[in-house]
Amino acid sequence: METFKGLKPLNMGAAGREMCLPGTRLDILQNLFISLTRPIAENTIIWLRGPAGCGKSTILNTLAQYFDQLRRQ
């Protein structure tokens, strides 16, 4: 654990995160929104996968921003 003391955490503020352009990835965003808002079992996992650079983080940042605007966690 001594090795981790010198590391500085990355600033993960929402202001600098990339978001999907308006009107793009609507099918993916809608499917994720529906999957995340319907009643599901506690053990359910949603796995978003794809090659590096395909936009997984951007999609999730967009979805997180939308839930933040709805005041949902």
Side-chain angles (χ1 to χ4, degrees), residues 3-46:
T3 359
F4 297 117
K5 287 187 178 182
L7 298 177
K8 296 185 180 173
L10 184 63
N11 180 6
M12 295 298 288
R17 295 186 183 181
E18 298 269 337
M19 299 212 13
C20 296
L21 295 173
T24 62
R25 299 182 174 133
L26 297 177
D27 289 343
I28 296 170
L29 292 167
Q30 182 179 21
N31 287 334
L32 284 170
F33 180 81
I34 290 168
S35 296
L36 292 168
T37 55
R38 69 177 177 188
I40 54 176
E42 289 182 26
N43 300 9
T44 301
I45 296 173
I46 297 172

Side-chain angles (χ1 to χ4, degrees), residues 48-69:
L48 186 62
R49 65 185 186 105
C54 73
K56 299 177 299 289
S57 295
T58 302
I59 290 167
L60 295 177
N61 288 336
T62 302
L63 201 59
Q65 180 68 27
Y66 184 69
F67 277 111
D68 185 55
Q69 289 172 355

